[in-house]
Amino acid sequence: METNQGDVVVLRWSRHPRCVGLARWELRKALERWGLSRLEESAVLVLSELLTNAGRHARVSPGREIKTRYVRLADTLRIEVHDATPERPEKREPEADCGGRGLVLVEALADSWGVKDRHEPGKAVWAELSLSSE
């Protein structure tokens, strides 16, 4: 299911790893439509990390898919990944086996990020990139 209302794009995904690439493609299309292609590299990497985390850790039952929400605000691009798991992600020290780097990358690339509760079960992990970033 897709909702596209001008400056907001909402999509739903399964936990299948292939969905990360599809979500990146949809974000690229939105960025191009909004004239924000200059943010593509950082935005796509942030989305990849957040959606991969949700795919690995979220409990997804029928009707509770993972949801992405891309929002163009006045001076910010906001990327949200919603899932039905109440456990909040925590930034940790990267491990030698390449694990634990996701939120470190998100923190490095985004101007801000965080986690918020939802009205439905679970949480939303969000990141914001300034539109003035180059």
Side-chain angles (χ1 to χ4, degrees), residues 19-133:
C19 291
V20 175
L22 296 172
R24 287 191 305 248
W25 174 250
E26 293 295 334
L27 177 57
R28 283 186 182 101
K29 289 188 330 189
L31 292 172
E32 184 176 340
R33 190 168 54 250
W34 296 333
L36 299 176
S37 294
R38 68 188 181 279
L39 297 177
E40 182 177 323
E41 187 176 324
S42 295
V44 167
L45 186 52
V46 165
L47 171 64
S48 294
E49 296 301 333
L50 297 181
L51 191 52
T52 298
N53 281 348
R56 285 186 181 147
H57 304 292
R59 286 183 233 120
V60 181
S61 57
R64 298 259 186 236
E65 296 87 3
I66 297 168
K67 178 172 75 173
T68 54
R69 188 168 179 263
Y70 316 138
V71 185
R72 185 188 193 282
L73 301 168
D75 59 354
T76 304
L77 170 68
R78 185 176 180 105
I79 299 167
E80 297 178 4
V81 176
H82 298 242
D83 67 61
T85 303
E87 289 84 26
R88 293 174 175 258
E90 294 181 19
K91 189 177 81 167
R92 58 189 174 129
E93 290 298 317
E95 299 171 3
D97 68 355
C98 297
R101 287 181 169 75
L103 292 178
V104 173
L105 287 172
V106 169
E107 187 171 80
L109 294 169
D111 293 293
S112 59
W113 75 275
V115 183
K116 66 179 185 173
D117 293 326
R118 306 185 317 161
H119 296 292
E120 50 197 308
K123 66 182 173 306
V125 183
W126 58 269
E128 293 184 344
L129 288 81
S130 171
L131 298 187
S132 62
S133 298

